[in-house]
Amino acid sequence: METGQPEIEGLEFLRRVGKPMRGELWRARQTALERDVLVAVFGPEMGEGPEGDVRFGVVRALAQVKTVLVPEVIDVLRSPEAAYVVLEDPHAQPILGLLDGGRLEASQLARLAARLMEGLAELHGDGLLYGALTPGAIAISDDSEPVLPDITPARFEPGRGVNPPDWRLPAAARPYAAPELDESPEGADARADMFALGMTLYALGTGQVPFGAVSPDCLREVRRTHTVPSPCDISPNFPASLAAFLARLTQRDPGARYADWDEARYDLHQLLTAGVSPDAGEPGGSAIAPPDPEARARAGRTIRLSVEDLRTFRRELAGRHRGPRWWVLLLVLLVLAAALYGVARLAEYILLTL
């Protein structure tokens, strides 16, 4: 769906901020309350009518869910031609843009995992799956909380409601998706989101997507037959305990993953209590060497998750790549010209006095 700028009374649409799986995402100004909101705009397939009611069921469910992960649904407006879901605006920035090619350090990765699991557990408690978690789906709010502004991938768990008849996995999410979503997506449960979470954290911690070099035609077979490689193979200082946690999340067989989010969160809590950090390495006498500057450079940049820290990091990085400012170069040229002029005058004086 591609539309022009929407027009709704009481909302001043500012700019399009995303292209979700279905529909569009806009930032708008709610004029009566003088606040920014996000507006998910859908076409007639989610408008008024029996079929639209079926597709709109997930939005109704999301409106009842209170989670730190998904922006709160403020209002829903529908007509035969379109549907508009007004969401709280967390003023979030895409995490990939904030990282600007960098990687999250292990301790920040573990804390991000804890917040994502908390939100996903709340969704699953209400019978919903997110369905398409990727690094590109995650944004970081001004108070440094992860959020998922795009609500369109969400769907019901089997037996908990009616899913949209045309629900499908977006192409961008396929490299992170659980193998069972290729075979029987309607039968997938919360463990599919566990797999996507593990793959997403892997990518944010290593800078690489497992099986990312595989063609889309072969990806289904590779995910079904190959084990996700260890992040320690890419980043030598990646803590083995965190690598083991990701390995459990990304098992090919759903039954080999965690039974539920409580079990996964308990393991992560133990891991955080033991002290996951790139400086400490693997707790408990691991053979992994503590990082040195050269190893840190090979493993990639490590930065904090705070939005302000990330913005500062980007400014400093841009300054290093930008090089000297124009006025510095001009000053250098003037000094060189003055020096050459002085040398020329001195040579002229010496010649005249000989």
Side-chain angles (χ1 to χ4, degrees), residues 77-100:
L77 306 169
R78 297 176 71 194
S79 70
E81 295 77 27
Y84 307 90
V85 182
V86 183
L87 304 161
E88 179 187 16
D89 186 358
H91 297 282
Q93 301 288 331
I95 192 170
L96 292 181
L98 292 168
L99 288 172
D100 193 29

Side-chain angles (χ1 to χ4, degrees), residues 245-261:
F245 176 73
L246 299 186
R248 180 81 179 272
L249 290 174
T250 56
Q251 290 294 309
R252 295 196 305 271
D253 177 10
R257 299 170 206 156
Y258 291 102
D260 52 39
W261 287 109

Side-chain angles (χ1 to χ4, degrees), residues 342-352:
V343 170
R345 294 302 302 271
L346 178 62
E348 182 181 359
Y349 174 77
I350 292 173
L351 290 174
L352 291 175

Side-chain angles (χ1 to χ4, degrees), residues 22 76 86 111 223 242 329 348-349:
R22 189 186 294 112
V76 172
V86 183
R111 284 195 283 273
R223 282 209 314 264
L242 185 56
L329 294 176
E348 182 181 359
Y349 174 77

